[in-house]
């Protein structure tokens, strides 16, 4: 159940307040051993992708089209799940990852390999979902590829997590599959946290707005309590400004009117409740204090581009297929 009690910012830093509940939930993991030459195509997906190189380095074809070398012990996160390739050498012919037969090691952890008995590159990868909507400004600001080694100087825990994964990836001990999955979740979340705390790689746009002393407090309140019936007057009082003065400053810094921004945040949260928590449309409409399902559906479609019934239909179809 969600807690609907008041969530007043407590740290004094609006960005920290907004993101203190940020979480990555792993849904599927794979361990594969590949003998050269080899190449794996990973298609675009809504979930983030994570890769750990356990033994023998390889190459990553980034979404930008550039190849980058990954050493044994490297880990990378593709937060928006962009299409990419892992290969033994740049330009090696790659096959879709879905084409390989897999064997389940434990719940949601699978093993695969190509032919050959000589030790090859050992990989552990996973798919993970943020508890943020895909249209959240933070996700749009993240780089296509985030490398753990590039952040470890700022996050002392990263080397220890990488060392722990290297010990477990051989799968020679009881429970290694489950432990690897949990380590991958923690490492990916640590990489995101380090990137955020280092300034998100940008000092403009949404981050600059959040870090504004006055507007940041308002944004934090909106994100922490999207179910509240926020009005321009209420938000202006929070900033200690007149209605017109607040609206003008907000639009200048954020790039949206207060009303439009509030509606976007509310609809992004609504999509999370529909898709992630599988709530009924009527429940979501009531939580956001709409007078009717119809008025909620119109607002939802205006922001998201599809009616909420579209997401409910998709969820029900997936449930039937799983059954």
């Amino acid at each position: 159940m969600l807690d609907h009690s008041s969530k007043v910012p407590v740290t004094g830093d609006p960005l920290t307040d907004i993101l203190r509940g940020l979480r990555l939930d792993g849904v599927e993991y794979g361990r594969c051993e590949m003998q050269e030459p080899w190449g794996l195509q990973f298609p675009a997906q809504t979930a983030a992708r994570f890769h750990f190189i356990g033994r023998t380095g390889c190459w990553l074809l980034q979404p930008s089209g550039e190849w980058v070398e990954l050493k044994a012990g490297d880990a990378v996160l593709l937060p928006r799940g962009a299409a990419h390739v892992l290969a033994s050498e740049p330009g090696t012919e790659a096959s879709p990852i879905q084409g390989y037969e897999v064997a389940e090691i434990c719940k949601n952890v699978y093993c695969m390999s190509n032919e050959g008995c000589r030790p090859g590159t050992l990989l552990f990868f996973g798919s993970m979902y943020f508890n943020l909507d895909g249209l959240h400004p933070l996700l749009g600001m993240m780089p296509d590829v985030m490398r753990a080694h590039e952040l470890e100087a700022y996050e002392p825990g990263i080397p220890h997590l990488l060392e722990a994964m290297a010990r477990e990836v051989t799968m020679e001990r009881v429970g290694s599959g489950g432990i690897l999955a949990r380590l991958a979740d923690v490492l990916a979340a640590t990489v995101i946290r380090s990137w955020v705390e280092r300034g998100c790689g940008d000092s403009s746009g949404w981050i600059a707005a959040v870090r504004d002393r006055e507007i940041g407090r308002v944004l934090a309140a909106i994100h922490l309590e999207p179910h509240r019936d926020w009005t321009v007057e209420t938000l202006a009082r929070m900033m200690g400004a007149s209605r017109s003065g607040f609206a003008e400053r907000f639009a200048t810094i954020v790039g949206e009117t207060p009303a439009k921004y509030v509606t976007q945040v509310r609809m992004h949260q609504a999509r999370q409740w529909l898709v992630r928590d599988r709530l009924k449309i009527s429940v979501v409409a009531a939580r956001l204090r709409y007078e009717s399902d119809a008025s909620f559906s119109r607002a939802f479609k205006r922001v998201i581009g599809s009616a909420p019934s579209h997401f409910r239909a998709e969820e029900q179809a997936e449930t039937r297929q799983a059954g």
Side-chain angles (χ1 to χ4, degrees), residues 20-67:
R20 65 182 178 226
L22 179 65
R23 189 179 72 247
L24 276 169
D25 295 321
V27 292
E28 190 174 74
Y29 309 87
R31 175 192 182 272
C32 63
E33 192 160 357
M34 306 298 291
Q35 183 179 328
E36 297 181 358
W38 62 271
L40 294 173
Q41 295 176 3
F42 291 86
Q45 62 179 29
T46 54
R49 290 268 195 194
F50 171 87
H51 297 291
F52 173 73
I53 315 304
R55 182 182 65 227
T56 308
C58 63
W59 290 79
L60 167 68
L61 178 59
Q62 302 179 101
S64 65
E66 299 178 34
W67 287 94

Side-chain angles (χ1 to χ4, degrees), residues 129-195:
Y129 281 98
F130 286 92
N131 63 332
L132 297 176
D133 187 78
L135 295 177
H136 192 285
L138 184 74
L139 293 183
M141 294 178 61
M142 289 180 184
D144 287 331
V145 178
M146 306 171 81
R147 297 185 66 177
H149 279 310
E150 293 176 354
L151 296 166
E152 64 185 17
Y154 308 93
E155 182 60 62
I158 288 178
H160 299 297
L161 290 167
L162 291 171
E163 290 168 8
M165 290 197 73
R167 289 193 299 270
E168 298 292 339
V169 76
T170 58
M171 295 284 188
E172 294 176 349
R173 302 184 65 187
V174 173
S176 291
I179 291 172
L180 271 171
R182 300 290 79 75
L183 286 170
D185 288 352
V186 173
L187 179 57
T190 302
V191 166
I192 295 294
R193 180 174 68 181
S194 179
W195 176 78

Side-chain angles (χ1 to χ4, degrees), residues 26-34 38 40-43 45 48-54 74-76 78 84 86 96-98 100-102 108-113 121-128 165 169 171 177 180-181 184-185:
V27 292
E28 190 174 74
Y29 309 87
R31 175 192 182 272
C32 63
E33 192 160 357
M34 306 298 291
W38 62 271
L40 294 173
Q41 295 176 3
F42 291 86
Q45 62 179 29
R49 290 268 195 194
F50 171 87
H51 297 291
F52 173 73
I53 315 304
D74 262 346
V76 295
L78 292 91
H84 59 286
L86 290 178
I97 185 72
Q98 305 96 314
Y100 285 82
E101 293 185 6
V102 298
N108 297 331
V109 181
Y110 302 88
C111 187
M112 54 168 278
S113 67
T121 301
L122 189 57
L123 308 171
F124 187 81
F125 52 88
S127 294
M128 306 166 177
M165 290 197 73
V169 76
M171 295 284 188
L180 271 171
D185 288 352

Side-chain angles (χ1 to χ4, degrees), residues 15 19 138 141 143 194-202 207 211:
L15 182 61
L19 299 178
L138 184 74
M141 294 178 61
S194 179
W195 176 78
V196 169
E197 291 180 344
R198 286 182 59 214
C200 302
D202 193 0
I207 290 295
R211 289 195 168 127

